[in-house]
Amino acid sequence: MKIIKLLYVLIGLCLCISSPSQDYVSKVWVADNGDGTYTNPIIHADYSDPDICRVGTDFYMTASSFNCIPGLPILHSKDLVNWKIVNYA
């Protein structure tokens, strides 16, 4: 019985070591292509019911996120493409 358990552990270790997922590198989604164009979605996230307002040349967005904490993220952008979370309400 102990030999079978040891065999399962060794097989599991071999699978972990030889897994191709070790070569995978997570990349951050960037919508701005850098040449004046963009790729949809602008924001790679689930912001339901977004509201955007402009203050001078700045844009601010918030969204309904009552199922997550902290709630009501506040995002800032200068060009409506590059958004950054600045605070939560």
Side-chain angles (χ1 to χ4, degrees):
M1 191 68 160
K2 289 183 180 182
I3 294 174
I4 293 174
K5 288 181 182 180
L6 180 61
L7 184 61
Y8 282 130
V9 169
L10 290 174
I11 290 172
L13 286 174
C14 289
L15 290 174
C16 289
I17 292 171
S18 64
S19 174
S21 65
Q22 291 177 348
D23 297 331
Y24 178 75
V25 176
S26 178
K27 297 180 181 172
V28 176
W29 175 256
V30 179
D32 191 350
N33 295 329
D35 59 1
T37 63
Y38 62 90
T39 302
N40 279 326
I42 298 296
I43 302 173
H44 197 63
D46 184 18
Y47 288 117
S48 62
D49 192 26
D51 292 305
I52 299 175
C53 68
R54 186 179 75 177
V55 179
T57 60
D58 296 320
F59 296 93
Y60 293 92
M61 179 178 80
T62 188
S64 301
S65 63
F66 297 108
N67 60 336
C68 299
I69 294 176
L72 295 170
I74 300 173
L75 292 88
H76 173 259
S77 175
K78 289 274 192 188
D79 57 7
L80 293 174
V81 174
N82 299 297
W83 290 91
K84 180 179 178 183
I85 296 177
V86 293
N87 213 336
Y88 293 91

